[in-house]
Amino acid sequence: MPELPEVEVTRLSFADRIAGAKVQSVRLGKPLRWPLGCTPVELVGRTVRAVRRRGKYLLIDLDQGLLLVHLGMSGSLIFSRQLPTPGLHDHFEMLTSQGTLKLNDPRRFGAVVYAASENAPGACKLLGQLGMEPLSDDFDVSLFHAGLRRRKAAIKQVLLAGDVVVGVGNIYASETLFLAGIRPTLSAARLSRPRAVRLHAAIKDVLGRAVAGGGSTLRDFSSATGERGHFQLQAMVYARTGQACRVCGTAIKSMRQGQRSTFFCPKCQKS
DNA sequence: AAAAGCCCCTGGATGC
DNA sequence: TGCATCCAGGGGCTTT
């Protein structure tokens, strides 16, 4: 479910409410992608300082150590003042003095991992290879182009890989390439400077607007406090196989790239 | 070093 | 109605 906008909207929806909260208990459900890395009891008594985001990871800073949270494909965080009744897919539940944070994740590709610090081996392994943040000032267009130039793989897959720029998932990869008029199969190394500039702008534009609008999904999405996104992404190409391109009317095509679906307009994205 | 495949898991949609 | 198949918003790991 979550690409960068949904993760950021989730963060914004509960960061202020949980800041300062003292952990009272932690309950685990079925195993997630990785073990927690400490015992639930060790977290009791710690205080939540802040919630940050790096790529699609949420970083919950504690007065000692931090929790790395990833929503995977099907995860969502819920922060609630009431004592929630544990649901079938609630696999991490943290009671605090200010409410309960739980991760609901049917497919369990998500994770909650404790690390003593951001530089601890466990955290480094997950965060160390991440590329530039597209919504921050360090998303420099020259660095972006330079990053693409050293990758011969298809641009779509380079975007998804997250080591040049983070946060662009399967939907936004297709959408931003459409906006930039670039064929998804084009080798990243072959992007001209003007086209890299256009793609850079498209990524900033779409992700930025999606966050500002409260997130968007093609299915259900709600923030950690249950608010639905009101940025309804008007997908130009994603999941529109065979339908008319909203710009030129040509039938949208789909294909597989690295076991993921890609959508594009053969006319608007000639190369 | 980089690229391509594989795999983790559940559930909803579709087809027979 | 029941059952099989395919597909899904991610990404680490293993193999080429």
Side-chain angles (χ1 to χ4, degrees):
Chain A
M1 170 180 84
E3 301 187 34
L4 184 147
E6 290 71 42
V7 176
E8 178 66 4
V9 167
T10 296
R11 184 186 77 81
L12 290 168
S13 70
F14 81 102
D16 287 350
R17 301 180 205 225
I18 204 173
K22 200 162 195 177
V23 177
Q24 294 170 334
S25 67
V26 171
R27 186 193 69 82
L28 302 177
K30 286 186 181 181
L32 292 162
R33 180 169 246 251
W34 297 294
L36 180 56
C38 71
T39 64
V41 175
E42 288 177 77
L43 296 174
V44 173
R46 303 201 192 190
T47 301
V48 176
R49 291 296 185 212
V51 184
R52 294 175 292 138
R53 181 187 55 76
R54 178 75 177 98
K56 294 171 188 166
Y57 287 92
L58 287 175
L59 282 57
I60 301 179
D61 289 313
L62 306 172
D63 52 355
Q64 187 194 339
L66 75 163
L67 292 170
L68 308 183
V69 179
H70 198 290
L71 303 180
M73 289 278 261
S74 58
S76 56
L77 280 179
I78 295 116
F79 186 68
S80 140
R81 303 270 174 195
Q82 298 101 6
L83 285 181
T85 51
L88 178 61
H89 300 301
D90 295 336
H91 300 305
F92 175 86
E93 207 169 66
M94 185 169 78
L95 268 69
T96 78
S97 55
Q98 293 170 204
T100 302
L101 183 71
K102 61 183 191 181
L103 173 66
N104 182 274
D105 186 4
R107 292 177 74 181
R108 292 188 280 125
F109 292 168
V112 181
V113 175
Y114 174 78
S117 84
E118 221 169 317
N119 298 320
C124 259
K125 198 167 167 187
L126 299 179
L127 305 176
Q129 299 302 318
L130 296 183
M132 290 180 281
E133 283 291 334
L135 299 183
S136 87
D137 291 338
D138 75 341
F139 187 35
D140 176 78
V141 69
S142 293
L143 289 175
F144 178 58
H145 189 207
L148 297 183
R149 268 194 301 223
R150 64 178 83 100
R151 301 290 297 276
K152 290 186 178 170
I155 180 64
K156 156 82 170 356
Q157 296 185 260
V158 172
L159 288 180
L160 281 187
D163 45 11
V164 177
V165 60
V166 294
V168 181
N170 204 41
I171 294 175
Y172 289 118
S174 283
E175 293 297 313
T176 53
L177 287 168
F178 173 83
L179 287 181
I182 297 165
R183 186 72 63 121
T185 47
L186 179 67
S187 166
R190 294 178 62 85
L191 256 76
S192 65
R193 169 83 184 190
R195 305 186 97 199
V197 170
R198 290 185 65 180
L199 183 55
H200 177 266
I203 291 168
K204 287 186 82 83
D205 176 57
V206 175
L207 296 186
R209 280 191 293 120
V211 172
S216 79
T217 55
L218 301 186
R219 298 190 187 151
D220 296 331
F221 165 71
S222 60
S223 69
T225 47
E227 295 141 40
R228 313 272 306 216
H230 41 87
F231 178 84
Q232 285 315 322
L233 172 70
Q234 176 85 305
M236 300 297 278
V237 290
Y238 186 81
R240 297 194 66 239
T241 311
Q243 297 179 47
C245 171
R246 299 190 199 280
V247 171
C248 75
T250 303
I252 299 302
K253 286 196 171 181
S254 58
M255 60 194 278
R256 300 289 285 182
Q257 286 181 290
Q259 353 281 120
R260 315 294 299 274
S261 293
T262 299
F263 304 88
F264 68 102
C265 170
K267 186 172 174 197
C268 295
Q269 298 165 268
K270 278 204 177 306
S271 64

